[in-house]
Amino acid sequence: CLLTLCDLSVNWKPYPFKKWALLIHHSSTENSNDVHTEAVQAALAKHKERKMAVPMPSKRRSLVVQTSMDAYTPPDTSSGSEDEGSVQGDSQGTPTSSQGSINMEHWISQAIHGSTTSTTSSSSTQSGGSGAAHRLADVMAQTHIGQYTGVLSVSTDAAISRVSAKIQQLVNTLKRPKRPPLREFFVDDFEELLEVQQPDPNQPKPEGAQMLAMRGEQLGVVTNWPPSLEAALQRWGTISPKAPCLTTMDTNGKPLYILTYGKLWTRSMKVAYNILHKLGTKQEPMVRPGDRVTLVFPNNDPAAFMVAFYGCLLAEVVPVPIEVPLTRKDAGSQQIGFLLGSCGVTVALTSDACHKGLPKSPTGEIPQFKGWPKLLWFVTESKHLSKPPRDWFPHIKDANNDTAYIEYKTCKDGSVLGVTVTRIALLTHCQALTQACGYTEAETIVNVLDFKKDVGLWHGILTSVMNMMHVISIPYSLMKVNPLSWIQKVCQYKAKVACVKSRDMHWALVAHRDQRDINLSSLRMLIVADGANPWSISSCDAFLNVFQSKGLRQEVICPCASSPEALTVAIRRYVNQPPGRGVLSMHGLTYGVIRVDSEEKLSVLTVQDVGLVMPGAIMCSVKPDGIPQLCKTDEIGELCVCAIATGTSYYGLSGMTKNTFEVFPMTSSGGPITEYPFIRTGLLGFIGPGGLVFVIGKMDGLMVVSGRRHNADDIVATALAVEPMKFVYRGRIAVFSVSVLHDERIVIVAEQRPDSTEEDSFQWMSRVLQAIDSIHQVGVYCLALVPANTLPKTPLGGIHLSETKQLFLEGSLHPCNVLMCPHTCVTNLPKPRQKQPEIGPASVMVGNLVSGKRIAQASGRDLGQIEDNDQARKFLFLSEVLQWRAQTTPDHVLYTLLNCRGTIANSLTCVQLHKRAEKIAVMLMERGHLQDGDHVALVYPPGIDLIAAFYGCLYAGCVPITVRPPHPQNIVSRSACLMTTQLICKLLRSREAAAAVDIRTWPPVLDTDDLPKKRPAQIYKPSNPETLAYLDFSVSTTGMLAGVKMSHAATSAFCRSIKLQCELYPSREVAICLDPYCGLGFVLWCLCSVYSGHQSILIPPSELETNPALWLLAVSQYKVRDTFCSYSVMELCTKGLGSQTESLKARGLDLSRVRTCVVVAEERPRIALTQSFSKLFKDLGLHPRAVSTSLGCRVNLAICLQGTSGPDPTTVYVDMRALRHDRVRLVERGSPHSLPLMESGKILPGVRIIIANPETKGPLGDSHLGEIWVHSTHNASGYFTIYGDESLQSDHFNSRLSFGDTQTIWARTGYLGFLRRTELTDANGERHDALYVVGALDEAMELRGMRYHPIDIETSVIRAHKSITECAVFTWTNLLVVVVELDGSEQEALDLVPLVTNVVLEEHYLIVGVVVVVDIGVIPINSRGEKQRMHLRDGFLADQLDPIYVAYNM
């Protein structure tokens, strides 16, 4: 029936009744079934028709197999629980509801399950989850042996289909239309402005009139009310000393101790006397009236607490009750310490038993807890105290404005505040409660709540004494053993009142099992302390349903609302009128609007009233943010109270106090409604018809997602209603929001029951997502399950929310299951880029001229104009240069090879090299029977034999190919012959090699350790400089093995270019620590010394593994000015020598002579590595400007090289967001989204560069990112392939621009970069053009229409967590796949999934599709230390990575 308007209170404005009406239920069995759970089940059934397919994550077996059941206990809630806890009596056999409805069996309705979840909680957990384990076993049977060397040939059809099927499943699921994205933002100047959420035009808006403040009944001053609480204690202690005040229970439910009013009075006096007179000295007492002392008492000793509390009141000192710190590292204990410190607490009162139980140091002292002030621990048991003298009497005054006590409050962020309550507020609050609850003298009250704070303290310690009531205190330890204990005590003592939380009603329901002798007819009030919580209504209904037959009357259930700041906000009186109910639209609530939901039964929130405003108080509701403006009648706001009986401040925090305790609500016209300040209660709600107060949530639990407000408690209730109690423990679930990409994202963390299998948990998680999506219309960003008992606890066993959030954000939560759903809930991504139609060449030219942009082109010095006395220039061929040097400077040392101890292992003079080469040429002709132009594979370790063999080939007219031993890949099979050393020869003929490669298909193997003694009849001289000199094979970063042809002319031009750039002469020494098999590394190792005549000190990089300082010591010892290394060498030195700089200095290591230290690379300069290397070795004399990089690629082995003359390498900062659109925008260092790029060295003499559009092949302006094209005499002349697909890459070597200079023939490098004209001048006086490389075109990823470079995403990911050592990313079917190497225990693997997803969203606006966590060393790298991302991708798709964990983000 609808509530009529006739009995509304005078200051209630009539409602626009069409908008909403509160339904009043006369609660009966029909409607007491749990509405919320039914809604959830209906929502899930609806989803089931749509068949959501969520791919299950893959786990390594070691992560899946659970320990046996015996090892688990239900979560221990230590000393009770704030919200819920678990009870040992809860066996698996009882299907219980999260809401405690009695109709349990129907809840887990078969219709919903169908066959989706097999109820396998009892099946053998050893198998680690039925299907998952078998699937994993198959996967593991096919994992890789060795690393990608040919294992791809294992028949992996099944495996490929498995990973691909999961990805396909993910792609299909993501294709489904999700909630429509919000209005796309406007793109301006290529700036991606993130989606600014526009209000939905159809959103409900409040339409009621402005509310009026609601006045509670007058606080009637009864004649015999005491003038202060101490006066009440004195009165009862002297006139009724035998009356029982408090009865405590042991864990068997037997009365342990009865404290009478007489004993309470005398003992409190004793405590008061001792605090004031026995601490410190007579002249200098430690505690004076007004000082703060802390009370540290366990939850099972209310009597000692009560004596100490009243002792403090009598002594006029201020008690600060806190929880017992169990360990030094208790969650939140540090914040409590800060509170004690700021209150200036120096004394802690405690009980004997508690004192004995505190952690002690070896000397028996209580250690200082982390963050706590130094405390004197004072035991308050009577036997330890001195008796006060006969004439000493406490000074009992009327209640005044002095502080009576401070109650601590934990905020959302984990900080702890102290709310001060004055003596007058304390007394008035007791009077208001007495009037509202109709307390009379000598009534009996059963208290299950925590007596140190909140409702438990107000009713069970304070108001009870004012009215001389008898409190039966039930410790939480007893509740855990016997959840019915409080009901039994109500019957036994015929108690009139009981104070409980909804969880106590819930557990009593679970445990009750037809107890015969229960009779609850004595109860006139059952105060439900958390009656304002959304799930309390179902506990109340269900409890009434069961216990109505045992004498419980409906009007007895009295929910109340309270907050630490406002004390009791409202409480339902036990009058014979039915309670108020509101069935509100959840959708409306998210916009802060009250709408009664009539059609859609799924997304509703059923709320119960928490009674009327307190006597003597005025209440209103104000808008939760901004100016405290009064709400409209149909609007949700924060409830504010104006009364004497409230807290007055946050101790020591005047600013926060002003915002909370001194609020003046404004009317719409802008004036305050009263001159008295109101207090914000922290509760969200509204005042309904008849002055009934409804609370729908707390400010602390508010999460604003995309402009809509959601309450953490509501989401908990929905999650618990999915499969109540089957997979997670009730009350062990935390919901909070984290800020990612400018919006709040909802995270749910729950403790999983140990008996649920992988499949079950995953099923549960996906159903929770669906339920929350249907009911709240909000996506959950992350759902994590952790093992039972692992979440941080509050002292009363509830979940410590802020600590849990902290662990989640730090990546130390260690979940056992994670499901991320960024695709469904991140709706504010930037707009995908639309490619513009191409503009014609003429417009581009004009456009560039108009905007003053020059075409991006640059060149090195012109070779023709350089005058130098280069004797080697007159020879066309390197073989001739060597013969000339052998004649003119026979004993000049060209090469020195060092071993790992830094001593010379071998050296070669000009004549030695020449003679050795001759003998090798003879061997090739005679033993190998080779013709000129035949290919010879050189399989040598880095050293001198390789050099000799190379020139031997030239002398014989053969074409050498250097091959790294001992992985001879398919290149070898095309060679006419293979040359190597004796050792490798043996290795190739060994059984192990035969297993990997069929030696019979190989060319003949020649061993150069055994050479003929004679000279060749003649040394071969090529007929034409354009003929092939050698082949250079290298594995590119994309994993392609590509060989390029180097002609004699190109080889000589190359050597001359390097000689000029680095000013190399015979008197010079150069240290080289590089792999000598391809690219610039090979040229420097084998060719340059012969051409320029300088001495090369060769240091094989492999020797650095045994002696990391070898390279730098050699550089220092030989006083080298120029040295070349690779990134892997630099990394080895940075990591391996980081802590040894002092000892190296002592050994005389001096790098001050180094002019150039060049990193030979074919990638974007690794600026972080070069900078840390420079910083680290600065103390050893290394000039920071000396370190630079070079750039080479397949079409031209060296385009840039720093060299000696010319300006220092420059670094610029570019906007990463503009780069994604192929624009280059320079920004200041440190600006957001800035990316530092270092110049790749100076352009070599004879090299011309232009930046071209890779698609249209048109030239680009300075401010564009494009492909680097190069024209030079030392370009390679084409690919050498054995596959015959030259046509595919033909344009790599001879491309022409589509407009502009269309005559020049360019080679395409395959690298994206840009040119910048700097303010610096070159050696020739021109302004210097710097070339910056951004990344390889083949590796760049097209996502959302933008171009991303893997290295940028990888850099962000590596920073996300300390355990991520390496990372590689690639795309597959438009999904971004991130592979991370984990350096830590496998338990940390799942922590990485949310962190990786967050950082890529925040910094790159991309949603990660798949996160793969692997062991260290799984990401393959090539000899230059570059990641082989395509190999990795193939390995992943073929299921060969043996990942620890694979998460598929929804």
Side-chain angles (χ1 to χ4, degrees):
C1 65
L2 288 170
L3 191 71
T4 46
L5 286 172
C6 56
D7 58 353
L8 290 187
S9 109
V10 226
N11 38 4
W12 178 257
K13 272 221 175 152
Y15 261 71
F17 232 14
K18 291 196 295 295
K19 289 281 162 275
W20 63 286
L22 281 175
L23 302 171
I24 302 292
H25 291 312
H26 293 296
S27 231
S28 66
T29 350
E30 291 86 49
N31 51 30
S32 67
N33 202 350
D34 186 341
V35 195
H36 197 67
T37 307
E38 287 173 357
V40 169
Q41 302 297 11
L44 287 173
K46 214 161 102 182
H47 261 282
K48 201 179 164 215
E49 296 155 24
R50 292 222 308 260
K51 201 78 190 147
M52 275 286 274
V54 181
M56 225 181 107
S58 324
K59 264 190 194 174
R60 185 177 283 176
R61 168 77 56 80
S62 53
L63 271 179
V64 173
V65 177
Q66 300 260 10
T67 42
S68 73
M69 273 303 294
D70 318 338
Y72 278 97
T73 56
D76 161 45
T77 44
S78 61
S79 49
S81 147
E82 220 113 87
D83 280 329
E84 326 297 333
S86 89
V87 171
Q88 264 76 37
D90 159 40
S91 67
Q92 274 176 280
T94 51
T96 59
S97 78
S98 71
Q99 316 296 3
S101 155
I102 188 51
N103 204 344
M104 309 287 179
E105 284 72 17
H106 298 172
W107 282 33
I108 306 169
S109 87
Q110 288 309 308
I112 287 180
H113 284 231
S115 56
T116 51
T117 48
S118 46
T119 40
T120 44
S121 48
S122 55
S123 71
S124 150
T125 47
Q126 256 17 62
S127 72
S130 47
H134 299 313
R135 283 217 299 281
L136 283 168
D138 303 344
V139 175
M140 294 183 72
Q142 299 188 349
T143 48
H144 66 319
I145 318 115
Q147 193 153 21
Y148 308 114
T149 44
V151 276
L152 287 167
S153 58
V154 180
S155 155
T156 48
D157 299 347
I160 287 176
S161 61
R162 185 174 306 112
V163 172
S164 305
K166 280 198 173 170
I167 291 189
Q168 202 44 56
Q169 192 184 352
L170 182 58
V171 172
N172 293 344
T173 309
L174 297 178
K175 270 186 198 150
R176 293 225 175 90
K178 52 171 186 261
R179 227 162 288 114
L182 302 151
R183 197 185 63 76
E184 294 288 11
F185 62 85
F186 165 58
V187 180
D188 173 34
D189 187 24
F190 317 108
E191 263 294 298
E192 301 150 341
L193 303 172
L194 277 170
E195 173 82 72
V196 177
Q197 273 135 9
Q198 297 298 323
D200 173 1
N202 306 320
Q203 75 180 49
K205 294 187 174 63
E207 297 163 15
Q210 183 176 302
M211 74 162 298
L212 292 176
M214 191 76 207
R215 201 175 281 279
E217 62 194 79
Q218 204 165 352
L219 185 58
V221 178
V222 180
T223 45
N224 67 345
W225 274 354
S228 68
L229 206 52
E230 308 89 291
L233 173 59
Q234 181 185 22
R235 179 208 265 173
W236 307 130
T238 46
I239 67 170
S240 319
K242 293 274 191 298
C245 168
L246 178 77
T247 301
T248 61
M249 298 288 159
D250 64 11
T251 43
N252 300 320
K254 300 273 184 296
L256 188 64
Y257 180 75
I258 297 174
L259 180 70
T260 61
Y261 277 93
K263 284 180 188 162
L264 176 59
W265 168 239
T266 52
R267 288 182 188 175
S268 306
M269 281 208 325
K270 208 171 181 182
V271 168
Y273 173 75
N274 280 268
I275 291 176
L276 292 175
H277 299 282
K278 295 294 175 187
L279 294 175
T281 61
K282 231 179 186 135
Q283 288 71 38
E284 272 299 306
M286 259 184 90
V287 181
R288 293 189 165 96
D291 286 353
R292 274 79 43 212
V293 299
T294 183
L295 271 49
V296 185
F297 289 89
N299 291 324
N300 56 6
D301 196 354
F305 173 82
M306 199 165 184
V307 168
F309 191 92
Y310 280 101
C312 291
L313 288 185
L314 291 171
E316 296 183 59
V317 301
V318 179
V320 185
I322 61 164
E323 310 301 336
V324 178
L326 299 175
T327 62
R328 294 194 61 181
K329 286 203 288 290
D330 252 11
S333 153
Q334 194 172 347
Q335 270 71 26
I336 292 274
F338 293 152
L339 171 69
L340 298 182
S342 64
C343 291
V345 171
T346 53
V347 174
L349 307 187
T350 186
S351 70
D352 217 357
C354 181
H355 189 259
K356 290 196 174 94
L358 287 172
K360 306 272 193 308
S361 67
T363 56
E365 303 253 310
I366 293 173
Q368 200 170 336
F369 294 98
K370 193 174 174 195
W372 283 41
K374 196 157 177 42
L375 294 178
L376 169 74
W377 292 84
F378 181 70
V379 176
T380 57
E381 253 80 353
S382 262
K383 57 182 183 210
H384 300 293
L385 304 180
S386 323
K387 232 175 151 173
R390 284 274 171 84
D391 56 350
W392 186 83
F393 229 64
H395 181 42
I396 292 176
K397 299 192 266 195
D398 288 359
N400 56 13
N401 276 322
D402 296 344
T403 302
Y405 70 95
I406 293 177
E407 180 171 313
Y408 80 86
K409 164 205 173 164
T410 307
C411 303
K412 191 175 182 174
D413 61 357
S415 55
V416 171
L417 308 175
V419 177
T420 58
V421 179
T422 61
R423 291 172 172 254
I424 188 76
L426 168 66
L427 182 70
T428 315
H429 188 218
C430 289
Q431 292 170 349
L433 283 177
T434 302
Q435 182 171 328
C437 301
Y439 284 142
T440 53
E441 275 177 33
E443 274 191 311
T444 305
I445 175 169
V446 170
N447 181 27
V448 191
L449 306 172
D450 177 11
F451 51 79
K452 296 189 291 298
K453 55 186 293 203
D454 215 65
V455 181
L457 172 71
W458 307 329
H459 289 262
I461 300 284
L462 306 177
T463 310
S464 60
V465 168
M466 180 173 134
N467 295 297
M468 201 188 86
M469 291 156 69
H470 178 195
V471 178
I472 316 292
S473 192
I474 312 276
Y476 210 78
S477 48
L478 171 58
M479 284 294 291
K480 281 168 71 177
V481 182
N482 174 10
L484 278 174
S485 51
W486 69 272
I487 292 183
Q488 290 159 353
K489 294 298 163 239
V490 169
C491 305
Q492 185 184 335
Y493 288 91
K494 303 236 174 333
K496 293 285 177 67
V497 181
C499 294
V500 298
K501 277 193 166 182
S502 45
R503 55 124 202 258
D504 304 317
M505 300 159 82
H506 170 77
W507 289 119
L509 278 177
V510 171
H512 99 104
R513 296 280 162 75
D514 300 322
Q515 295 264 340
R516 291 281 141 71
D517 46 358
I518 292 180
N519 179 3
L520 297 179
S521 56
S522 66
L523 271 186
R524 62 178 188 82
M525 273 192 103
L526 176 58
I527 296 171
V528 185
D530 56 351
N533 244 347
W535 53 58
S536 68
I537 183 167
S538 52
S539 296
C540 294
D541 285 354
F543 189 78
L544 176 66
N545 216 358
V546 171
F547 289 101
Q548 216 161 6
S549 58
K550 311 275 192 236
L552 181 71
R553 302 187 302 285
Q554 181 191 354
E555 58 274 16
V556 165
I557 296 180
C558 296
C560 76
S562 65
S563 82
E565 292 82 0
L567 309 186
T568 307
V569 175
I571 187 164
R572 198 187 286 172
R573 323 290 201 268
Y574 64 108
V575 284
N576 200 355
Q577 69 165 48
R581 280 284 159 98
V583 182
L584 308 180
S585 147
M586 198 79 89
H587 181 71
L589 290 180
T590 62
Y591 292 105
V593 177
I594 304 160
R595 292 285 177 268
V596 165
D597 197 291
S598 44
E599 317 81 42
E600 179 71 56
K601 268 294 177 319
L602 287 186
S603 50
V604 295
L605 180 69
T606 307
V607 285
Q608 61 182 349
D609 72 283
V610 286
L612 301 166
V613 181
M614 291 296 284
I618 304 174
M619 183 190 284
C620 65
S621 75
V622 301
K623 304 210 163 160
D625 25 44
I627 321 168
Q629 202 176 359
L630 279 182
C631 289
K632 296 186 172 165
T633 47
D634 59 343
E635 190 175 7
I636 299 287
E638 182 175 6
L639 300 177
C640 293
V641 172
C642 172
I644 298 170
T646 58
T648 47
S649 68
Y650 291 130
Y651 187 87
L653 300 167
S654 49
M656 287 180 75
T657 296
K658 205 167 177 55
N659 293 340
T660 304
F661 294 91
E662 297 165 28
V663 175
F664 293 92
M666 300 287 189
T667 60
S668 49
S669 56
I673 55 172
T674 64
E675 74 261 42
Y676 300 110
F678 279 67
I679 288 172
R680 290 181 183 270
T681 62
L683 301 174
L684 290 166
F686 60 95
I687 303 172
L692 295 178
V693 178
F694 289 85
V695 173
I696 59 120
K698 297 191 184 78
M699 286 292 288
D700 267 0
L702 199 61
M703 303 180 292
V704 181
V705 181
S706 308
R708 289 171 58 213
R709 303 191 288 203
H710 300 276
N711 223 292
D713 287 338
D714 295 341
I715 289 183
V716 170
T718 302
L720 285 175
V722 171
E723 301 242 11
M725 308 302 299
K726 202 167 152 204
F727 295 110
V728 295
Y729 288 104
R730 176 182 166 91
R732 309 299 300 154
I733 183 164
V735 172
F736 52 86
S737 63
V738 295
S739 180
V740 181
L741 197 65
H742 313 296
D743 200 359
E744 295 295 302
R745 314 283 175 197
I746 296 176
V747 178
I748 303 180
V749 181
E751 284 187 1
Q752 173 181 334
R753 297 179 80 114
D755 49 348
S756 47
T757 63
E758 289 288 306
E759 307 241 334
D760 289 346
S761 321
F762 191 71
Q763 198 77 40
W764 180 81
M765 288 161 91
S766 33
R767 295 165 65 123
V768 167
L769 296 178
Q770 293 158 13
I772 289 171
D773 192 74
S774 296
I775 288 176
H776 303 271
Q777 280 105 48
V778 68
V780 174
Y781 180 65
C782 176
L783 208 165
L785 292 180
V786 299
N789 244 337
T790 54
L791 287 179
K793 295 191 177 83
T794 56
L796 284 180
I799 288 179
H800 199 294
L801 204 65
S802 59
E803 204 89 355
T804 303
K805 177 173 172 175
Q806 195 53 39
L807 290 177
F808 174 80
L809 291 172
E810 283 169 5
S812 35
L813 194 61
H814 306 330
C816 48
N817 270 307
V818 164
L819 184 53
M820 299 279 303
C821 307
H823 287 100
T824 38
C825 63
V826 177
T827 51
N828 61 336
L829 285 172
K831 195 178 208 160
R833 171 191 179 197
Q834 256 78 51
K835 284 272 168 56
Q836 298 304 322
E838 274 315 323
I839 301 153
S843 335
V844 172
M845 302 290 273
V846 172
N848 281 331
L849 286 170
V850 171
S851 60
K853 294 202 182 95
R854 55 187 211 101
I855 292 290
Q857 54 188 5
S859 51
R861 289 181 291 166
D862 188 346
L863 280 174
Q865 292 173 2
I866 299 173
E867 288 305 321
D868 63 338
N869 51 356
D870 185 352
Q871 298 298 310
R873 268 182 79 182
K874 52 183 188 281
F875 302 107
L876 285 173
F877 306 107
L878 263 183
S879 49
E880 297 180 317
V881 180
L882 177 57
Q883 294 165 50
W884 167 68
R885 289 206 185 280
Q887 285 161 8
T888 52
T889 54
D891 299 327
H892 175 65
V893 179
L894 285 178
Y895 295 104
T896 306
L897 178 72
L898 302 185
N899 60 18
C900 65
R901 289 186 300 284
T903 51
I904 296 178
N906 212 331
S907 67
L908 272 184
T909 60
C910 300
V911 71
Q912 284 170 331
L913 175 56
H914 168 64
K915 289 195 166 152
R916 188 102 196 266
E918 285 187 325
K919 290 175 182 169
I920 291 173
V922 171
M923 182 171 84
L924 285 169
M925 292 175 207
E926 294 189 353
R927 294 188 201 164
H929 311 297
L930 299 185
Q931 313 295 312
D932 51 340
D934 279 344
H935 296 178
V936 178
L938 311 184
V939 185
Y940 288 94
I944 289 212
D945 292 336
L946 175 68
I947 301 168
F950 178 83
Y951 287 100
C953 289
L954 293 191
Y955 279 9
C958 300
V959 177
I961 309 162
T962 51
V963 178
R964 174 189 311 280
H967 280 305
Q969 280 157 314
N970 44 15
I971 294 315
V972 177
S973 58
R974 276 298 173 93
S975 306
C977 162
L978 184 150
M979 281 202 300
T980 184
T981 64
Q982 204 165 357
L983 196 71
I984 294 174
C985 223
K986 280 191 181 141
L987 183 66
L988 293 176
R989 296 200 165 95
S990 67
R991 276 216 301 276
E992 290 84 346
V997 177
D998 184 2
I999 194 91
R1000 289 169 308 195
T1001 60
W1002 274 32
V1005 176
L1006 298 180
D1007 160 13
T1008 50
D1009 287 349
D1010 166 28
L1011 290 175
K1013 298 286 183 277
K1014 56 185 194 179
R1015 293 177 58 188
Q1018 69 178 63
I1019 291 173
Y1020 173 82
K1021 184 176 177 188
S1023 50
N1024 175 357
E1026 294 307 322
T1027 55
L1028 196 52
Y1030 72 98
L1031 290 175
D1032 186 299
F1033 270 93
S1034 157
V1035 177
S1036 70
T1037 48
T1038 50
M1040 291 296 296
L1041 182 67
V1044 292
K1045 302 187 250 193
M1046 286 297 286
S1047 68
H1048 286 282
T1051 308
S1052 301
F1054 197 174
C1055 291
R1056 167 161 160 75
S1057 196
I1058 291 173
K1059 172 187 191 304
L1060 292 169
Q1061 190 82 331
C1062 301
E1063 298 179 5
L1064 299 174
Y1065 305 107
S1067 54
R1068 282 282 156 78
E1069 285 170 338
V1070 173
I1072 297 167
C1073 189
L1074 289 166
D1075 262 343
Y1077 299 108
C1078 58
L1080 184 56
F1082 166 75
V1083 174
L1084 290 166
W1085 190 282
C1086 293
L1087 311 184
C1088 286
S1089 275
V1090 169
Y1091 187 89
S1092 311
H1094 61 274
Q1095 180 183 350
S1096 292
I1097 296 155
L1098 307 175
I1099 304 151
S1102 53
E1103 304 287 6
L1104 264 68
E1105 283 166 21
T1106 44
N1107 177 8
L1110 173 65
W1111 167 52
L1112 295 177
L1113 285 167
V1115 167
S1116 162
Q1117 180 187 339
Y1118 289 95
K1119 302 185 173 44
V1120 167
R1121 292 179 68 181
D1122 305 288
T1123 180
F1124 296 86
C1125 70
S1126 65
Y1127 280 124
S1128 357
V1129 167
M1130 196 168 260
E1131 197 163 21
L1132 202 75
C1133 292
T1134 313
K1135 284 182 177 162
L1137 305 174
S1139 53
Q1140 299 175 29
T1141 43
E1142 287 308 312
S1143 63
L1144 290 172
K1145 206 172 190 171
R1147 285 167 67 183
L1149 181 64
D1150 174 22
L1151 302 176
S1152 57
R1153 288 188 192 76
V1154 177
R1155 284 193 301 192
T1156 58
C1157 167
V1158 178
V1159 188
V1160 172
E1162 297 190 7
E1163 58 178 306
R1164 177 200 299 179
R1166 298 188 200 173
I1167 194 161
L1169 179 56
T1170 55
Q1171 282 177 350
S1172 51
F1173 178 81
S1174 304
K1175 269 200 197 97
L1176 189 59
F1177 296 106
K1178 194 173 80 180
D1179 296 347
L1180 299 175
L1182 180 68
H1183 200 290
R1185 293 201 301 254
V1187 181
S1188 63
T1189 66
S1190 68
L1191 171 68
C1193 62
R1194 292 288 67 210
V1195 298
N1196 185 318
L1197 304 182
I1199 299 166
C1200 301
L1201 183 63
Q1202 183 57 35
T1204 45
S1205 59
D1208 295 324
T1210 53
T1211 297
V1212 294
Y1213 292 84
V1214 296
D1215 184 330
M1216 213 187 298
R1217 293 168 306 179
L1219 266 191
R1220 292 173 200 150
H1221 294 279
D1222 293 339
R1223 305 285 157 139
V1224 179
R1225 215 179 88 213
L1226 297 193
V1227 291
E1228 290 302 311
R1229 176 183 180 168
S1231 58
H1233 300 282
S1234 62
L1235 172 72
L1237 292 174
M1238 183 162 116
E1239 180 186 351
S1240 290
K1242 302 289 164 283
I1243 300 170
L1244 280 169
V1247 174
R1248 280 174 62 198
I1249 287 175
I1250 192 157
I1251 305 294
N1253 181 323
E1255 279 90 35
T1256 63
K1257 300 190 180 178
L1260 289 172
D1262 253 357
S1263 58
H1264 285 256
L1265 181 70
E1267 187 181 7
I1268 301 166
W1269 286 15
V1270 58
H1271 172 80
S1272 141
T1273 45
H1274 65 257
N1275 277 3
S1277 45
Y1279 285 121
F1280 174 82
T1281 94
I1282 52 174
Y1283 308 112
D1285 54 0
E1286 276 98 338
S1287 57
L1288 290 177
Q1289 285 103 359
S1290 59
D1291 73 330
H1292 284 199
F1293 291 91
N1294 43 18
S1295 282
R1296 293 172 194 264
L1297 290 171
S1298 54
F1299 58 91
D1301 166 10
T1302 52
Q1303 296 313 304
T1304 312
I1305 297 208
W1306 300 88
R1308 302 179 57 172
T1309 62
Y1311 283 90
L1312 292 168
F1314 60 93
L1315 282 163
R1316 263 319 217 221
R1317 176 147 279 188
T1318 64
E1319 296 304 314
L1320 309 168
T1321 47
D1322 269 333
N1324 52 5
E1326 298 279 317
R1327 271 177 67 190
H1328 167 65
D1329 292 309
L1331 174 68
Y1332 299 93
V1333 178
V1334 175
L1337 187 58
D1338 286 351
E1339 296 222 306
M1341 303 180 295
E1342 279 273 318
L1343 290 164
R1344 298 177 58 77
M1346 291 173 275
R1347 207 192 295 273
Y1348 285 88
H1349 299 276
I1351 184 71
D1352 297 325
I1353 298 175
E1354 288 158 4
T1355 309
S1356 301
V1357 169
I1358 288 173
R1359 281 202 315 264
H1361 191 273
K1362 60 180 187 306
S1363 301
I1364 301 177
T1365 54
E1366 191 50 277
C1367 165
V1369 303
F1370 52 82
T1371 51
W1372 179 249
T1373 61
N1374 275 346
L1375 285 177
L1376 178 64
V1377 181
V1378 177
V1379 181
V1380 294
E1381 289 184 1
L1382 167 70
D1383 176 17
S1385 73
E1386 290 184 355
Q1387 268 49 54
E1388 288 178 37
L1390 283 82
D1391 282 317
L1392 307 181
V1393 179
L1395 297 184
V1396 166
T1397 310
N1398 290 1
V1399 76
V1400 176
L1401 254 175
E1402 281 277 352
E1403 298 185 11
H1404 303 278
Y1405 309 154
L1406 286 179
I1407 295 178
V1408 177
V1410 186
V1411 180
V1412 187
V1413 184
V1414 295
D1415 297 308
I1416 291 182
V1418 168
I1419 296 172
I1421 54 173
N1422 66 13
S1423 58
R1424 288 187 299 277
E1426 297 161 344
K1427 295 172 201 164
Q1428 305 277 278
R1429 297 181 182 93
M1430 298 306 123
H1431 271 327
L1432 182 68
R1433 185 181 75 182
D1434 298 341
F1436 169 65
L1437 293 174
D1439 236 344
Q1440 293 172 333
L1441 301 187
D1442 180 24
I1444 300 170
Y1445 189 76
V1446 182
Y1448 299 93
N1449 283 349
M1450 292 307 299

